[in-house]
Amino acid sequence: MLSYILAGLATGSIFAIAAGSLVITYVASGVFNLAFAAMAFTVARVYYQLHVESGWGIAPAAFVSLVVFAPLMGAVLYLVLFRFLQGRSTIIKLMATLGLSVALPPLVELVLGKLTANTAPGLAPVPLKVFRFAGATVNADQVAMYIGLLVVLVVGVGVLRFTDIGLKVRALVDSGALTSLSGTNPGRVSMGVWAVSTMLAGLTGILVAPTSGLSVAGMTPLMTTAFAAVVAARLKNLPVAMGVGLLIGLAGAVPQKWIDPNSSFSHYFLPCIPFIFMLAALVYFAVRGQTGDQATGGALDRAIAVEGGDSSVVPSAGLKIGRFPLPVVLSVVFVVVVGLLPQVFNTYWAGLTASGIVLAIVLLSYTLVTGEGGMLWLCQISFAGFGAILVAELATLRGWDPIVATLVGPLVAIPIGLLIGALTIRLGELYIALVTLTVALLAQTLVITQTRWYNFGSGTPVSRPSFALDNKAFIYLALAVFLAVALLVVNLRRSTAGLALGAVRWSENGARTIGLSVLQSKLLVSALAAYVATLGGAFIAMNNQTTLPDFFQPFTGLVWLAVLMTLGSRSVMAALVTGLLYYYMPALFQQYLPTSLGEVPIILFGLGAVALATHPEGAFSQIAGDMTKKRAKKATAKSPTPPPTPPASPTSTTSEPAVAGRHA
Amino acid sequence: MNSTPRLEAKGVTMRFGGLTALADIDLAVPAGQIVGLVGPNGAGKSTLFGVLSGLLKPTTGTVLMDGEDVTATSPQLRARRGLARTFQHPELFSSLTVREHLSLAYRVRHTKSRILSDLVTGRGLFPKKDAEEDARVDELLGELNLTSIQHSAVVGLPLGTSRLVEIGRALATDPKVMLMDEPSSGLDVSESDDLASTMRKVVAERGVSLLFVEHDVPMVLGLCDHVYVIDFGQKIAEGNPDEIRANAAVRAAYIGEESEEITINEDDAVLAATSGGDRS
């Protein structure tokens, strides 16, 4: 039994450090770091480079990677990214860190090279020494994990409690504004916090690499497990976060005394443990009425905070061509151009076009749930994967007509979407993102990769409809479905439901006191988004002519979302452009540039989302905004009288642009 | 005349941990009356508004609408029963225009099924005029001098204009009783006068009952039929404006001591000057 407890404490130590790091950066900066796994991987990859590839000893490699490189990286990231996130909406903060998580790993691989195998040593010398303690055995890597946690606790508590720096950090946690008024530069303190948290991320990366592998995919479960601990700590309580991290480690190890770790029960049960903790914590908070996003900082910070920084308040150029607004005309032209592409493209490019369009259908579900509903759902790709296995089940295994299976089957996703919505809507934006990402990982393990449809990774075959067997016909079918869904989204946005969604998004109290139900409004969009994502997934499967279960990795969904947010989460045309760019850009790099630059498109996708920190409105809206400014400038130059709209005063409610856009 | 108050608080106590924000408050807003709620900063006025509108659940006590206990009901249900409110810090919908605020509020009250039916009928893509809605919204925009900016988004509007949008939004729900939290804050003298006449008009013509928190004491005393004064979460006085002017406890709450020599008009000025400031 002791062996299991010690093993659980070892992995729990890593979860505890990770959870602690996430809590510290959140309370000190208001940013929940979704790039934690990417940062852990980066530092661990540098350690690997020094220790394994350059032959340095463990101590100097660890010193340089953890004490020199990691803090430097944290400070640089603070200067180029995190400091711009102050005052931004939760979604923008999350998306910027998500962009970083997308861009950082391929950037590291571009510089340091791609590893062929992901096995890596930890901080203990190899071969690992084994220690015996009261009949139980622990290896040196596990001892390193205990020591890691101990050092973090002793140094962390010591610094926070008994030093001037710790006092400043605690002051910053309470109120950045008051810290500033007392003569301390909160920016410098924040930079220090990010430096330290990057060091902690690196430490967890190096410690976990021997067991989970030196890859982002291996470190993402570490991060999401830490999410569970952080949620249990209501994002703020450091001792609870670390304690729950340890408990999760124990809960994963101790049952293995009785359950065969290779059994199918273990296969399903073990990945659920963090989710069970998260769910238990959420239910507990719900019962106690403690749900909802918690503000960071103090009263003064909230009083001087600027509302906005979100893509749902965007300028509209207001230009028209004839009777029609310019965005509508441009959208029609773009769709016509896309429609002509199959006529001019060869089979390869036509295939990419088909892939781009079917992806665009899935992306419209993000337009619905994030763009309109204001909820950052990170499990849309899992709905898409569900759509793929659903169409395989109905059309291939049960003999339904493929088009009927594709259109009717996704109705099953609606109650699932409603359930996820009902469980998360009251929690607040940040919790929604954390819970849905955990759901995505769980769905990937428990549902999408089920042996019934997995077929050793090649998936279950899926037929296209008889009238759309070739790529050209299939493109037109997919484009028609995309346009139908796009019109549905535009109709929703401009309808009473769209106004209601806008209302609940910006002020729940304001919405409730005019008689709107926040829950009902958001459930409506949750149900629609679940259906659309599942429908898109079914089309992806039809396009690939197989379910390809490994295609629907949650991390891939983050890349999709990063690109979409870069272009604009409320624009249906941005969804189509994103879908096409996602396939065209890597193909262009592959065809016309050296192979070594193959990861550059992903880096660019991630950096695009990072840029939301400074341009939260997205590229499409930014272009529209620039056009508005130019137009206003021209109008001012022509007219001697000032424009009629009252100017924003220091007492105005926000500093965002004054005209709400109506995206095409 | 029906003697049952439109809105009533009975023995409302609200505690946040160890802090008692409201202690055993009784208050009634009769039909067709304007009732004022005044008190120094931190007295508990906004907390009481939160309890009355359903955003806060009282620790003890009941809230009644037309004599029926609504303490356990949600803010949206109270809104549907005819309760509307504005906020001290305007709670506007940043992505909506001024007109859309009023239209949405009107629809939620009168044609709520449109939230779903518009999706099926395609009314978002092919808008269809609703003459009644347009007339009511136009009327409110005109009354509040918002017509010229009806198609502007609310982001960037000055605070005073934002308050008028909130008031318009509340009135668009055709409320029976309306709670207004510092409606004249941010308005200039002429705008405040316009607002006061609008308030009188909605009470006279539509029979709306008003309960409002206001630091502009001359406005409160000039407009209200009945005034409640609270301090440190406790009701210290109630009565008609003349009774409030003469009340020693009110003077003490506002200026820290009793002052018999102050004339009525000076009272208003002193109360107005001190009500927005710190306790001294």
Side-chain angles (χ1 to χ4, degrees), chain A residues 135-214:
Chain A
T137 55
V138 286
N139 66 35
D141 268 342
Q142 290 173 321
V143 172
M145 291 171 191
Y146 307 140
I147 294 172
L149 178 62
L150 204 64
V151 169
V152 168
L153 280 176
V154 170
V155 174
V157 171
V159 169
L160 280 174
R161 290 274 168 211
F162 306 113
T163 67
D164 185 46
I165 295 170
L167 188 67
K168 286 175 179 172
V169 171
R170 284 187 282 140
L172 181 68
V173 168
D174 283 343
S175 170
L178 286 176
T179 308
S180 180
L181 287 175
S182 67
T184 299
N185 182 342
R188 279 191 198 162
V189 181
S190 284
M191 190 164 74
V193 168
W194 277 102
V196 171
S197 76
T198 309
M199 193 162 75
L200 294 179
L203 178 62
T204 58
I206 294 171
L207 290 173
V208 85
T211 47
S212 298
L214 183 52

Side-chain angles (χ1 to χ4, degrees), chain A residues 29-82:
Chain A
S29 66
V31 177
F32 195 86
N33 185 14
L34 289 180
F36 183 86
M39 289 160 79
F41 165 77
T42 302
V43 178
R45 179 68 184 84
V46 169
Y47 171 75
Y48 182 89
Q49 182 73 20
L50 297 175
H51 178 46
V52 178
E53 301 199 333
S54 303
W56 290 26
I58 289 175
F63 180 81
V64 171
S65 54
L66 285 174
V67 183
V68 179
F69 174 75
L72 197 64
M73 183 172 90
V76 169
L77 286 175
Y78 170 79
L79 290 173
V80 299
L81 170 63
F82 297 125

Side-chain angles (χ1 to χ4, degrees), chain A residues 609-661:
Chain A
V610 167
L612 289 170
T614 47
H615 300 288
E617 65 276 17
F620 276 30
S621 301
Q622 204 188 328
I623 293 166
D626 290 345
M627 288 167 79
T628 309
K629 278 180 198 162
K630 279 182 189 164
R631 201 172 170 226
K633 215 174 178 181
K634 268 187 186 172
T636 314
K638 278 183 188 171
S639 163
T641 52
T645 309
S649 70
T651 53
S652 67
T653 51
T654 135
S655 65
E656 292 296 306
V659 182

Side-chain angles (χ1 to χ4, degrees), chain A residues 307 312 491-492 494-497 499 503 506-507 509-516 524 648 651-652 654 657-658 660 662, chain B residues 55 75-76 79-80 87 91 93-95 100 104 107-108 112 114-116 118-119 122-125 153 155-157 159:
Chain A
E307 184 194 332
S312 63
N491 180 48
L492 170 92
R494 294 179 178 178
S495 68
T496 309
L499 295 181
W506 284 104
S507 170
N509 284 343
R512 293 164 80 195
T513 51
I514 62 167
L516 276 172
L524 174 69
T651 53
S652 67
T654 135
R662 292 292 177 269
Chain B
L55 294 171
Q76 53 265 36
R80 280 175 225 160
F87 292 83
E91 294 270 355
F93 313 133
S94 301
S95 61
E100 285 169 341
L104 177 63
R107 287 179 204 171
V108 173
K112 193 156 188 248
R114 280 189 63 182
I115 291 179
L116 286 177
D118 278 7
L119 298 179
R123 215 164 166 175
L125 291 172
V155 279
L157 290 180
L159 180 62

Side-chain angles (χ1 to χ4, degrees), chain A residues 33-409:
Chain A
N33 185 14
L34 289 180
F36 183 86
M39 289 160 79
F41 165 77
T42 302
V43 178
R45 179 68 184 84
V46 169
Y47 171 75
Y48 182 89
Q49 182 73 20
L50 297 175
H51 178 46
V52 178
E53 301 199 333
S54 303
W56 290 26
I58 289 175
F63 180 81
V64 171
S65 54
L66 285 174
V67 183
V68 179
F69 174 75
L72 197 64
M73 183 172 90
V76 169
L77 286 175
Y78 170 79
L79 290 173
V80 299
L81 170 63
F82 297 125
R83 73 191 171 109
F84 296 110
L85 293 175
Q86 195 181 9
R88 295 291 184 206
S89 67
T90 304
I91 287 186
I92 295 300
K93 283 177 181 171
L94 289 172
M95 281 315 304
T97 59
L98 208 58
L100 184 65
S101 77
V102 171
L104 205 51
L107 195 64
V108 171
E109 287 180 347
L110 190 71
V111 176
L112 298 179
K114 201 165 186 167
L115 293 175
T116 47
N118 62 9
T119 50
L123 288 173
V126 178
L128 293 175
K129 275 189 185 170
V130 175
F131 303 95
R132 297 194 182 282
F133 172 72
T137 55
V138 286
N139 66 35
D141 268 342
Q142 290 173 321
V143 172
M145 291 171 191
Y146 307 140
I147 294 172
L149 178 62
L150 204 64
V151 169
V152 168
L153 280 176
V154 170
V155 174
V157 171
V159 169
L160 280 174
R161 290 274 168 211
F162 306 113
T163 67
D164 185 46
I165 295 170
L167 188 67
K168 286 175 179 172
V169 171
R170 284 187 282 140
L172 181 68
V173 168
D174 283 343
S175 170
L178 286 176
T179 308
S180 180
L181 287 175
S182 67
T184 299
N185 182 342
R188 279 191 198 162
V189 181
S190 284
M191 190 164 74
V193 168
W194 277 102
V196 171
S197 76
T198 309
M199 193 162 75
L200 294 179
L203 178 62
T204 58
I206 294 171
L207 290 173
V208 85
T211 47
S212 298
L214 183 52
S215 69
V216 181
M219 291 178 190
T220 301
L222 155 75
M223 181 174 74
T224 50
T225 304
F227 285 173
V230 174
V231 166
R234 296 194 72 212
L235 309 173
K236 285 185 161 186
N237 193 324
L238 188 61
V240 171
M242 297 185 83
V244 174
L246 278 171
L247 275 178
I248 293 174
L250 285 170
V254 173
Q256 293 185 31
K257 177 172 168 54
W258 301 284
I259 305 165
D260 178 7
N262 297 316
S263 68
S264 60
F265 179 79
S266 290
H267 174 74
Y268 294 120
F269 173 70
L270 293 179
C272 292
I273 290 171
F275 189 71
I276 292 168
F277 271 84
M278 190 183 269
L279 201 63
L282 292 175
V283 169
Y284 175 74
F285 296 145
V287 169
R288 291 180 56 116
Q290 294 176 324
T291 50
D293 278 334
Q294 293 183 80
T296 51
L300 180 59
D301 300 76
R302 288 192 284 280
I304 62 173
V306 177
E307 184 194 332
D310 196 293
S311 53
S312 63
V313 182
V314 291
S316 165
L319 298 176
K320 287 190 173 185
I321 294 181
R323 284 172 51 217
F324 302 103
L326 181 63
V328 173
V329 175
L330 291 177
S331 301
V332 171
V333 170
F334 183 67
V335 170
V336 170
V337 170
V338 173
L340 290 173
L341 292 179
Q343 308 296 335
V344 293
F345 275 168
N346 61 23
T347 316
Y348 174 71
W349 287 97
L352 292 178
T353 306
S355 300
I357 296 170
V358 294
L359 174 58
I361 299 172
V362 179
L363 294 177
L364 285 176
S365 73
Y366 291 105
T367 312
L368 278 167
V369 75
T370 305
E372 298 303 319
M375 297 178 286
L376 193 60
W377 278 32
L378 300 179
C379 62
Q380 295 307 90
I381 193 167
S382 304
F383 277 110
F386 182 56
I389 58 172
L390 206 60
V391 73
E393 177 68 31
L394 296 175
T396 309
L397 303 177
R398 294 177 189 254
W400 287 32
D401 179 81
I403 204 75
V404 175
T406 303
L407 295 175
V408 177

